């Protein structure tokens, strides 16, 4: 009897799914996701789209921070770049989404690579500080470049469309967001089975050893910034298509902290972790609202306190996870799976 | 010319508060290599607690102020003991996220108790302005700059001559050496967090007195101080002071002269543009130790 998770061949080690049964379960789960709009209310469709978009952005950030070890506090600004690029390309230029979404991603990737250049000389704390500066600089540009961004008033974004096809409303947009999320997750998962992904991980674990082993550190760091920002840019594009109006206030520094919270709580350096973290952080305020609403009739002050309650629970979740489960929900998931695999003889 | 002097003067006042908060940053960074993103929340909390004690107990303002300092010191020790100690040896990103999470909790607590409206401050400084040369200067400004100078002098003496101060410098120099000399490094960490909380609370109360009230925007000082400490050098007390004054003046001048050209908001972004330039040219700052690992 197998008494553990042993991999005997490279093929087993590289496999995305551990067993054919696991793959079938995943496929079945994905297929069932396609039927969500048939049952869910408008509110939950909005939440579902936001969760999926957050998954794309968190995966992007995890590629940079979790897998390559480069801390970035600038991802809210990169999200803004993707969203504004979408607003401009889809609005005044009137391009279809098939062009707009990749273009927004590529543009954000370029901006991200520009701000990734400091990683040539800086690491750790100093890189975090440099990306923080990037956030404020981009925010300033977005607020003041009025001819393109509409300044503080923001801009409105037309619905995603291609020819006669138009994704208006959350229920139809879901069918654009879901396949895109799945595709991007698969790409990320596969990225870390390739030379490029392994180079990222090598840089995270020990940059000097990586250099000695022949990894061009600067090139791969910049590439990591590019790939990560591409993901965040695509998330920004979808966010713009979903929200339909964007303004500088949509992308505060706290949003960047939210994304970092997602990968910390979900698990750094794990694709599954980005999914868990994005779901957790996006659902947290919604579930909190559901819990508070029935109490509000007895304690009317709860509704006024809700904003601070949300903030406090978010901070507390991050702090508690860091103190008690630093490897995040993905690690907990794996240990639960291992427990059941060996049940009742686990030790 | 008068416009210029006015800008420099208000820059000096804000800069002196930056210097205080920066001092807290540097003390924590020196002893434990943690960049504390919750420093601005310490400042905000101190300002709120002081005015709350004053309103609730009707004691003289000075007594309320001293009680606030005691509260801040206890807060610093508690946070270090409960949250920061499990983080020793964890990666940088975890520690950064911990202080960010802490900041979020503290902000929530303040908002939950006092709401989002501005809490008015009692008039703690005389209101009649004093004339320095051609400029009328409000006395609050003078008091705040003066008390900052006194505090900084006190801290310099503390680090140079007192037993605890010398132990802190030894810990900053090398934790292993400090341990072998019989210094309790854990106690030094707790001490540095309480000092950081206390100096930030002083900054918060001074700022509340100068502005006549306290609100949630005080927490932004924590982010604004990051360019200050990078400019001064993350591990230099003198650097925090010089950096604070320079940044305060710089942002006021940039705001005063460039705002009409660029359409507002320059004051907020100027320190961060300067930050990028500093990181590119001299990442260890003006007075920092040159030991930054290059990649």
């Amino acid at each position: 009897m197998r008494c553990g998770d042993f991999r005997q061949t490279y093929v087993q080690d590289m496999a995305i799914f551990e067993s054919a049964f696991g793959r079938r379960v995943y496929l079945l789960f994905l297929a069932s996701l396609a039927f969500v709009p048939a049952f869910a209310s408008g509110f939950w469709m909005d939440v579902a789209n936001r969760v999926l978009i957050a998954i794309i952005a968190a995966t992007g950030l995890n590629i940079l921070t979790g897998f390559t070890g480069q801390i970035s506090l600038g991802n809210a600004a990169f999200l803004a770049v993707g969203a504004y690029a979408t607003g401009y390309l889809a609005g005044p230029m009137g391009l279809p989404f098939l062009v707009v979404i990749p273009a927004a991603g590529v543009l954000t990737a370029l901006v991200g690579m520009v701000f990734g250049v400091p990683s040539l000389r800086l690491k750790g704390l100093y890189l975090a500080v440099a990306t923080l500066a990037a956030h404020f600089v981009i925010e300033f540009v977005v607020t003041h470049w009025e001819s393109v961004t509409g300044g503080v008033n923001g801009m409105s974004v037309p619905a995603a469309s291609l020819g006669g096809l138009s994704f208006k409303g959350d229920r139809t947009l879901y069918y654009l967001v879901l396949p895109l999320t799945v595709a991007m997750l698969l790409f990320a998962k596969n990225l870390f089975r390739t030379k490029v992904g392994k180079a990222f991980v090598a840089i995270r674990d020990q940059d000097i050893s990586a250099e000695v082993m022949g990894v061009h550190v600067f090139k791969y760091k910049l590439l990591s910034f590019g790939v990560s920002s591409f993901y965040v840019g695509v998330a920004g594009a979808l966010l713009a298509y979903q929200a339909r109006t964007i303004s500088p206030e949509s992308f505060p520094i706290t949003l960047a902290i939210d994304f970092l919270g997602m990968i910390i709580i979900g698990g750094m350096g794990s694709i599954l972790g980005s999914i868990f973290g994005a779901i957790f952080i996006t659902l947290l305020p919604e579930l909190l609202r559901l819990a508070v609403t029935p109490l509000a009739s007895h304690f009317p002050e709860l509704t006024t306190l809700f904003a601070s309650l949300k903030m406090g629970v978010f901070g507390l979740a991050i702090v508690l996870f860091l103190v008690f489960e630093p490897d995040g929900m993905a690690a907990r998931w794996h240990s639960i799976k291992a427990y059941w695999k060996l049940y009742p003889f686990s030790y | 010319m008068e416009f210029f002097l006015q800008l420099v003067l208000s820059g000096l006042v804000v800069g002196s508060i930056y210097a205080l908060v920066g001092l807290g940053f540097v003390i924590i960074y020196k002893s434990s290599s943690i960049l504390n993103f919750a420093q601005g929340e310490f400042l905000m909390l101190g300002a709120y607690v002081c005015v709350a004690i004053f309103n609730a107990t009707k004691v003289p303002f000075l007594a309320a102020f001293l009680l606030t300092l005691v509260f801040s010191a206890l807060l610093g020790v508690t946070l270090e003991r409960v949250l920061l100690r499990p983080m020793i040896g964890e990666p940088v990103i975890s520690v950064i996220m911990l202080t960010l999470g802490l900041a979020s909790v503290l902000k929530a607590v303040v908002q939950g108790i006092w709401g989002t409206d501005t809490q008015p401050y009692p008039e703690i400084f005389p209101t009649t302005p004093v004339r320095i040369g051609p400029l009328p200067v409000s006395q609050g400004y003078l008091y705040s700059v003066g008390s900052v100078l006194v505090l900084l002098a006190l801290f310099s003496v503390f680090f140079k001559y007192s037993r605890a101060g010398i132990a802190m410098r030894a810990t900053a120099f090398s934790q292993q050496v400090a341990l072998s000399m019989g210094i309790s490094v854990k106690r030094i960490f707790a001490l540095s967090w309480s000092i950081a909380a206390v100096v930030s609370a002083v900054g918060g109360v001074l700022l509340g007195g100068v502005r006549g009230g306290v609100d949630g925007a005080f927490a932004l000082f924590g982010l604004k101080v990051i360019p200050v400490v990078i400019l001064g050098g993350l591990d230099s007390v003198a650097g925090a002071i010089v950096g604070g004054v320079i940044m305060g003046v710089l942002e006021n001048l940039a705001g005063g002269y460039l705002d009409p050209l660029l359409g507002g908001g320059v004051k907020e972004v100027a320190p961060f543009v300067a930050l990028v330039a500093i990181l590119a040219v001299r990442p260890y700052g003006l007075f920092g130790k040159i030991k930054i690992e290059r990649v």
Side-chain angles (χ1 to χ4, degrees), chain A residues 65 71-73 115 119-126 128-130 132-134 136-137 140 144 207-208 211 217 221 253-254 257 260-264 268 305 307-316 318-319 322-323 326, chain B residues 29 33-35 37 82-83 86-87 90-98 100-102 104-105 107-109 111-113 223 226 230 234 262-266 268-269 272-273 275-276 279-281 283-284 292-295:
Chain A
T65 304
I71 304 170
S72 168
L73 287 169
F115 284 100
S119 71
L120 167 71
R121 295 184 62 184
L122 306 167
K123 60 194 227 182
L125 273 182
Y126 286 86
V129 166
L132 182 71
F136 287 103
V137 172
F140 182 81
H144 288 83
D207 47 4
I208 296 172
E211 182 100 63
V217 171
K221 270 188 183 175
I253 184 75
T254 46
I257 299 172
L260 278 172
M262 286 176 197
I263 63 168
I264 285 283
M268 301 235 294
L305 283 178
S308 49
L309 189 68
K310 202 170 75 179
M311 199 156 63
V313 171
F314 169 74
L316 211 59
I318 289 178
V319 168
L322 280 171
V323 173
Chain B
Y29 185 80
S33 313
I34 290 174
L35 198 57
F37 280 92
V82 177
L83 296 181
M87 285 291 113
E90 292 284 329
V92 181
I93 171 83
S94 303
V95 183
I96 288 184
M97 276 316 285
L98 187 95
L100 285 171
L102 177 64
S104 171
V105 172
K107 230 183 297 179
V109 168
Q111 265 188 29
I113 299 177
L223 289 181
I226 290 171
I230 297 281
L234 265 177
L262 294 172
V266 178
E268 275 64 45
V269 80
F272 289 97
V273 175
L275 173 61
V276 175
L279 284 175
V281 180
Y284 39 85
I292 288 176
E293 215 177 327
R294 291 285 171 74
V295 188

Side-chain angles (χ1 to χ4, degrees), chain A residues 190-259:
Chain A
N190 276 312
L191 179 67
F192 293 99
R193 302 161 83 200
T194 64
K195 181 184 156 199
V196 176
K198 305 245 181 246
F200 288 174
V201 175
I203 291 172
R204 173 194 67 189
D205 289 344
Q206 234 303 332
D207 47 4
I208 296 172
S209 320
E211 182 100 63
V212 172
M213 308 258 286
V215 174
H216 194 309
V217 171
F218 181 54
K219 184 181 124 192
Y220 280 104
K221 270 188 183 175
L222 218 52
L223 192 60
S224 178
F225 264 97
V227 175
S228 157
S229 310
F230 180 83
Y231 271 70
V232 177
V234 169
L238 294 174
L239 199 71
Y241 276 136
Q242 197 210 1
R244 303 288 302 276
T245 50
I246 45 176
S247 70
E249 284 100 66
S250 324
F251 309 97
I253 184 75
T254 46
L255 194 63
I257 299 172
D258 281 358
F259 287 130

